[in-house]
Amino acid sequence: MSSFYLTTPIFYVNGSPHIGHAYTAIIADLFARHYRQRGREVFLLTGTDEHGLKIQRSAEAQGLAPKQLADQNAAMFQNLFTKLNITYDRFIRTTDADHRETAQEMVRRLTDAGAIYRGHYEGWYAASDEAYYDDSEVEEGRSTVTGATVEWIQEPSYFFRLSAYQDALLAWYDEDPSCIQPAGRRNEVRSFVEGGLNDISISRGSFDWGIPYPDDPEHVLYVWIDALTNYYTGVGGFQKAHPLGHHWPADVHLIGKDILRFHTVYWPAFLMAAGLPLPKQVFAHGWWLNEGEKMSKSLNNFIDAFDLVDRYPLDLVRYYLVREIPLGNDGNFAHDRLAQRNNSELADNLGNLVNRSFAMLSKFLEGRAPSVAAGGSVEEVDHALRLSAEQVRDEVCTCMDRRQPSEALERIMHLSSDLNQYCAVTQPWSLAKKGDVDRLKLVLGTLLHGLAWVATLAAPFLPDASKRILDALKLDRPLQLDDLTWDLLTPDSTLVAPDVLFHKYDLDTIHSETATNAASTNHTTIGSHVTETNVPEASQQTPTTTKPLATDLPTEGTIGFDTFEKVEIRCARIETAERVPKSSKLLRLTVDVGEDALRTVVAGIGKHFEPETIVGLHVAAVTNLKPTKIFGIESQAMLLAVDTNDNGLSLTVYSDNVDPGTRVG
Ligand code: MSP
């Protein structure tokens, strides 16, 4: 049995899980379930990233020891994954003893390979906090986090010779282009590496919440070398003849786009230096926005993962997150889209198929499973349906191999529509009326088998509904995709319909709930259940304004459309973002505005956004302002942004399906 080793990123334990974390885990889980159905020996690793200054600080702020905070929050992620029905094989924690050993051994191997040297790390340091701060966290000689006085210091640190791996990395990217997916991400990393690499510091001496540096108690491992090594620990690490050792190298590291460089530059370079095989693929998925807005601390608009699965059935959440966007793209979470997909795809298509199939079986054949083989002769329409099911099975496998779960799911739902169509064409009710029992048995048998195919193919995506359908068909052993035949049901066994699988939502209720939530607060903690009697408190509030409608607007100061038209506002895709040295406010961006070359933009948004979190966003930019120099850098466009009432900043963000360069007007 060939192995399939799949990993999720390990999650920081300094906050509670949100939709982005749930998304990574759900996508990984559906690949794991799919490959199990194809007989692969799947190992799915997930877990928590528990060391580092950020965690130490969060723990201090809550009056806890770092390990206490980690224990609490690791348990929270485990609970979430149970709720999300994530079939992981190990939940690794970077505080696990075997991980500590693997990470230390990794550093020893790098040292033995001559890839490490002692140097000096530079940064802002606050002695009273014993902490380093980023440029963005320092203003007028003080930390904006704690107010402590900071100084620019150098401290001894161990460095990894990343620069020595530039050629080897480029060769890896070129050898098998599928090693970084989607292709655009590969190109992005490739050009970054082509631009040259700096060595990286892999130890810290200013705090102690980390894995001790081997043979140097003054230092702990920098959190990324610690974190990345979890993937190796998870399958036995350097232990000889470990029962999981054959899983290495990983088939897929599934990650979010923000941590691409760590996984496609640092990690393979560490592995090369340690003489270990490289992962077969790193796949970066996109980010979810909340109703059009980037989720951020300053906007306080994270969609809490627990709230989401408390409010909606798990299958619907999984279905929506997978179906709404091709893997790799950014997505915009919208409650009404989720409800629409529930109503028109799950309820009207699959739910309807289940209802009518079991209803006809009960009405015309007393609920007794027909044997397809024993029925009348197979006609063209029956044959076509079987062919289309077989084709969908193949297509689903191809899509999943290409990491296109959204397309795979679309094919499965298509098969469900084909079955509804088959029912309309073959008209079992007319066959019953005519008393053509042989044909009736064949048609209902084909329908129920088709349903078994749909439910099996859909099991990774809709585990609950699939199980209920398969149980109702008395197919309660886990089916492999190769087991799918037209001879699955036990003839004459009595089959009873499952309870309603998908309840429809009233779209008006969804609109009013989410609209009122948005108007009254930025905080997207969503209500618990969608029933008419259980209206969330927010929607019972009085309107936020009693202002009358405007009439007789003054004309003074207005501009004509021709004047407005002179301002060219376009959709700009942020390609790269970095801080402008020595400025806490400025970011230097390159943006694609649909021209042959990228434009450089210097934007004063650095206090509100970490550079890596805005890369890939499609935002509004004024593109015909006269270029101006800021901090010596020519800025060739201006992003549109607005201050929020909680001292935050909100960019005007478009979804991924607005092409860079599209004119706004
Ligand atoms: N601890 C590191 C990963 C180390 S892996 C060796 C980390 N943790 S995280 O908790 O901040 O993020 C975990 C994952 O959640 C990342 O893949 C990240 O991309 C993903 N997401 C965080 N916010 C997200 C969205 N808004 N949308 C989709 N996924 C996002 O990074």
Side-chain angles (χ1 to χ4, degrees):
M1 218 187 338
S2 73
S3 135
F4 190 82
Y5 178 31
L6 172 67
T7 65
T8 72
I10 45 172
F11 301 91
Y12 285 131
V13 285
N14 56 339
S16 52
H18 59 72
I19 186 176
H21 304 135
Y23 182 61
T24 313
I26 288 172
I27 298 291
D29 180 62
L30 63 95
F31 279 108
R33 288 174 186 258
H34 170 80
Y35 283 108
R36 281 188 206 113
Q37 289 188 312
R38 286 165 72 181
R40 302 282 292 268
E41 187 201 354
V42 172
F43 194 84
L44 171 57
L45 182 74
T46 190
T48 39
D49 190 352
E50 305 187 355
H51 291 127
L53 190 54
K54 261 201 272 191
I55 315 286
Q56 182 168 322
R57 279 197 199 151
S58 289
E60 276 159 12
Q62 296 174 45
L64 296 171
K67 183 64 167 53
Q68 278 178 312
L69 177 72
D71 287 346
Q72 271 177 21
N73 288 351
M76 190 156 63
F77 275 97
Q78 282 165 342
N79 285 341
L80 176 70
F81 293 168
T82 305
K83 276 198 148 195
L84 297 177
N85 212 338
I86 306 297
T87 53
Y88 59 81
D89 295 284
R90 174 169 175 187
F91 189 98
I92 192 168
R93 301 181 52 185
T94 50
T95 48
D96 288 343
D98 62 340
H99 175 67
R100 176 190 170 117
E101 269 166 39
T102 312
Q104 289 182 329
E105 181 59 21
M106 179 67 88
V107 172
R108 282 195 196 99
R109 301 256 171 149
L110 302 186
T111 310
D112 293 348
I116 287 184
Y117 61 91
R118 245 178 109 96
H120 281 91
Y121 176 82
E122 292 188 34
W124 291 113
Y125 182 68
S128 56
D129 300 339
E130 286 184 67
Y132 276 104
Y133 292 100
D134 285 348
D135 203 26
S136 63
E137 295 170 318
V138 170
E139 234 169 52
E140 290 165 6
R142 287 182 179 277
S143 152
T144 52
V145 182
T146 60
T149 311
V150 295
E151 53 184 329
W152 185 258
I153 64 128
Q154 288 194 328
E155 70 161 32
S157 169
Y158 292 92
F159 279 79
F160 173 71
R161 291 184 202 281
L162 185 62
S163 56
Y165 292 87
Q166 182 183 13
D167 292 344
L169 286 167
L170 291 172
W172 181 52
Y173 307 147
D174 293 344
E175 208 173 285
D176 174 9
S178 71
C179 69
I180 304 174
Q181 287 292 313
R185 298 286 169 212
R186 175 185 163 272
N187 299 341
E188 187 183 312
V189 173
R190 206 185 180 291
S191 35
F192 169 73
V193 173
E194 251 174 350
L197 293 170
N198 294 324
D199 294 345
I200 51 167
S201 156
I202 56 154
S203 72
R204 292 288 187 272
S206 51
F207 62 93
D208 56 10
W209 180 235
I211 295 181
Y213 197 90
D215 311 318
D216 188 342
E218 298 295 300
H219 290 249
V220 293
L221 297 190
Y222 169 51
V223 70
W224 274 99
I225 189 167
D226 165 353
L228 289 161
T229 307
N230 94 84
Y231 300 133
Y232 195 49
T233 313
V235 289
F238 294 96
Q239 296 176 59
K240 288 257 161 350
H242 190 279
L244 296 174
H246 63 287
H247 285 294
W248 192 260
D251 288 80
V252 184
H253 289 315
L254 180 73
I255 57 165
K257 64 181 184 180
D258 53 316
I259 50 176
L260 185 67
R261 280 188 198 168
F262 296 106
H263 284 80
T264 54
V265 183
Y266 292 16
W267 181 226
F270 292 152
L271 290 169
M272 284 176 193
L276 294 171
L278 306 189
K280 292 180 201 154
Q281 186 173 77
V282 176
F283 192 104
H285 66 68
W287 268 40
W288 283 92
L289 306 178
N290 178 5
E291 304 278 353
E293 273 181 330
K294 188 177 147 47
M295 290 184 283
S296 69
K297 275 207 179 116
S298 61
L299 290 179
N300 194 17
N301 64 346
F302 282 106
I303 299 177
D304 182 276
F306 285 103
D307 282 350
L308 193 61
V309 281
D310 281 346
R311 175 169 183 166
Y312 299 112
L314 175 61
D315 274 1
L316 172 58
V317 171
R318 292 174 67 114
Y319 182 86
Y320 171 75
L321 292 180
V322 178
R323 188 66 195 91
E324 186 71 357
I325 48 164
L327 190 63
N329 287 13
D330 289 343
N332 182 26
F333 186 91
H335 294 271
D336 56 355
R337 294 279 303 147
L338 174 139
Q340 277 161 7
R341 285 200 181 274
N342 174 73
N343 292 1
S344 63
E345 297 172 30
L346 291 176
D348 284 350
N349 180 353
L350 182 55
N352 180 32
L353 174 68
V354 173
N355 287 345
R356 71 201 307 193
S357 306
F358 281 95
M360 288 188 295
L361 183 72
S362 151
K363 192 161 172 198
F364 305 138
L365 295 178
E366 290 164 348
R368 307 260 283 269
S371 144
V372 174
S377 59
V378 175
E379 294 182 7
E380 185 52 37
V381 61
D382 316 317
H383 188 63
L385 184 88
R386 292 185 191 186
L387 279 184
S388 114
E390 277 151 28
Q391 193 180 333
V392 168
R393 173 174 56 187
D394 292 349
E395 285 172 356
V396 166
C397 294
T398 310
C399 289
M400 293 301 274
D401 290 345
R402 292 190 183 143
R403 316 287 172 242
Q404 297 173 327
S406 169
E407 291 76 357
L409 188 49
E410 196 223 316
R411 303 285 200 285
I412 298 166
M413 295 311 285
H414 208 272
L415 178 58
S416 173
S417 310
D418 282 352
L419 282 156
N420 276 315
Q421 184 63 23
Y422 173 79
C423 192
V425 173
T426 53
Q427 302 198 335
W429 48 91
S430 310
L431 298 173
K433 211 168 172 187
K434 277 196 284 182
D436 188 349
V437 178
D438 278 353
R439 175 91 192 121
L440 179 65
K441 283 187 171 170
L442 186 127
V443 166
L444 287 188
T446 307
L447 201 58
L448 291 167
H449 274 87
L451 186 56
W453 280 59
V454 169
T456 306
L457 288 165
F461 303 86
L462 303 169
D464 292 342
S466 288
K467 183 169 180 331
R468 286 171 56 199
I469 297 171
L470 293 169
D471 283 351
L473 292 169
K474 298 221 165 109
L475 294 170
D476 35 19
R477 72 200 157 91
L479 286 178
Q480 299 266 302
L481 296 191
D482 278 348
D483 295 340
L484 289 174
T485 63
W486 298 94
D487 192 14
L488 293 168
L489 301 181
T490 310
D492 279 337
S493 53
T494 304
L495 306 183
V496 179
D499 288 341
V500 176
L501 292 176
F502 309 106
H503 292 276
K504 282 200 177 184
Y505 289 99
D506 173 16
L507 291 179
D508 287 341
T509 311
I510 294 271
H511 275 139
S512 63
E513 279 181 12
T514 48
T516 323
N517 272 346
S520 57
T521 168
N522 269 331
H523 194 113
T524 312
T525 300
I526 46 191
S528 51
H529 296 287
V530 197
T531 61
E532 262 140 64
T533 48
N534 182 15
V535 183
E537 229 174 277
S539 63
Q540 291 165 2
Q541 291 176 0
T542 47
T544 49
T545 176
T546 50
K547 289 180 183 174
L549 289 176
T551 51
D552 298 332
L553 285 175
T555 49
E556 204 185 321
T558 55
I559 55 167
F561 186 68
D562 47 343
T563 313
F564 166 72
E565 248 200 335
K566 287 188 188 142
V567 182
E568 194 182 87
I569 305 174
R570 293 188 183 277
C571 169
R573 181 180 191 279
I574 302 177
E575 298 295 323
T576 60
E578 60 188 7
R579 293 198 172 274
V580 171
K582 306 263 179 290
S583 163
S584 58
K585 213 170 105 184
L586 297 178
L587 297 188
R588 178 196 188 124
L589 318 175
T590 53
V591 299
D592 181 350
V593 290
E595 300 164 340
D596 291 342
L598 300 181
R599 291 206 195 183
T600 300
V601 176
V602 180
I605 58 174
K607 287 195 177 156
H608 302 281
F609 298 101
E610 286 307 322
E612 61 276 13
T613 62
I614 56 169
V615 171
L617 288 184
H618 290 212
V619 296
V622 181
T623 49
N624 65 342
L625 270 184
K626 212 197 264 158
T628 174
K629 280 204 168 174
I630 305 174
F631 257 57
I633 307 164
E634 185 176 87
S635 184
Q636 300 163 330
M638 187 183 87
L639 303 194
L640 295 187
V642 59
D643 289 325
T644 60
N645 59 13
D646 55 357
N647 298 326
L649 191 76
S650 177
L651 287 168
T652 308
V653 178
Y654 300 110
S655 61
D656 271 6
N657 55 12
V658 179
D659 286 330
T662 309
R663 183 104 191 240
V664 178

